[in-house]
């Protein structure tokens, strides 16, 4: 079942990525309305407020990241940037729409890692 019912839109932040795009396809194939947010259509406007398309979203799926484990190991400052982006978003969302549900998705980058033989 769609979170919030099939007529209530949900949003996917990171809709252009591997997990986000798959989630959008799945939600839409179930008849849901999905607001897709990408780097080109960010969740926060330039003035720091929520994108207006989130006004009706019952659930926001966060699948946005710039990093994977290899990048994180080589550039820990990027981990901090991702965490700051998510934290800022949560603060703004809480002030604007405190009842909106947020689902944080992460693969841990394992889908991008090299194949290994069991035991993993």
């Amino acid at each position: 079942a769609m979170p919030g019912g099939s007529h209530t839109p949900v949003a996917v932040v990171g809709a252009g990525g591997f997990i986000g795009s798959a989630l959008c396809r799945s939600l839409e194939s179930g008849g849901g309305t999905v607001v897709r947010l990408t780097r080109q259509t960010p969740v926060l406007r330039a003035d720091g407020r929520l994108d207006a398309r989130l006004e009706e979203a019952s659930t926001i799926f966060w699948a946005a990241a710039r990093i994977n484990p290899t990048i994180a190991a080589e550039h820990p400052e990027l981990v901090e940037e991702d965490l700051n982006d998510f934290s800022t978003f949560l603060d703004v969302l809480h002030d604007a729409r405190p009842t909106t549900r947020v689902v944080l998705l992460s693969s841990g980058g394992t889908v991008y890692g090299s194949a290994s033989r069991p035991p993993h």
Side-chain angles (χ1 to χ4, degrees), residues 13-37:
V13 180
F18 180 75
I19 294 171
S21 61
L23 176 60
C24 288
R25 287 190 303 274
S26 178
L27 292 168
E28 290 166 343
S29 73
T33 301
V34 179
V35 175
R36 294 172 177 243
L37 297 149

Side-chain angles (χ1 to χ4, degrees), residues 51-76:
D51 183 295
R53 293 173 296 160
L54 297 178
E55 290 298 317
E56 300 301 319
S58 60
T59 301
I60 300 172
F61 294 91
W62 187 275
R66 295 182 197 89
I67 59 172
N68 61 39
T70 301
I71 292 171
E74 294 172 0
H75 299 282

Side-chain angles (χ1 to χ4, degrees), residues 60-64 86 102-106:
I60 300 172
F61 294 91
W62 187 275
F86 185 59
V102 176
V103 179
L104 174 63
L105 304 174
S106 175

Side-chain angles (χ1 to χ4, degrees), residues 6-118:
S6 61
H7 299 293
T8 304
V10 298
V12 176
V13 180
F18 180 75
I19 294 171
S21 61
L23 176 60
C24 288
R25 287 190 303 274
S26 178
L27 292 168
E28 290 166 343
S29 73
T33 301
V34 179
V35 175
R36 294 172 177 243
L37 297 149
T38 66
R39 285 189 181 102
Q40 291 72 40
T41 56
V43 68
L44 297 180
R45 302 182 326 197
D47 65 5
R49 295 177 58 200
L50 281 178
D51 183 295
R53 293 173 296 160
L54 297 178
E55 290 298 317
E56 300 301 319
S58 60
T59 301
I60 300 172
F61 294 91
W62 187 275
R66 295 182 197 89
I67 59 172
N68 61 39
T70 301
I71 292 171
E74 294 172 0
H75 299 282
E77 71 279 5
L78 295 179
V79 175
E80 196 67 30
E81 285 182 31
D82 268 5
L83 290 173
N84 287 338
D85 288 350
F86 185 59
S87 180
T88 299
F89 159 72
L90 288 177
D91 288 342
V92 172
L93 180 67
H94 182 267
D95 290 344
R97 297 188 41 86
T99 61
T100 302
R101 180 173 36 179
V102 176
V103 179
L104 174 63
L105 304 174
S106 175
S107 70
T110 57
V111 294
Y112 304 110
S114 59
S116 61
R117 294 175 40 187

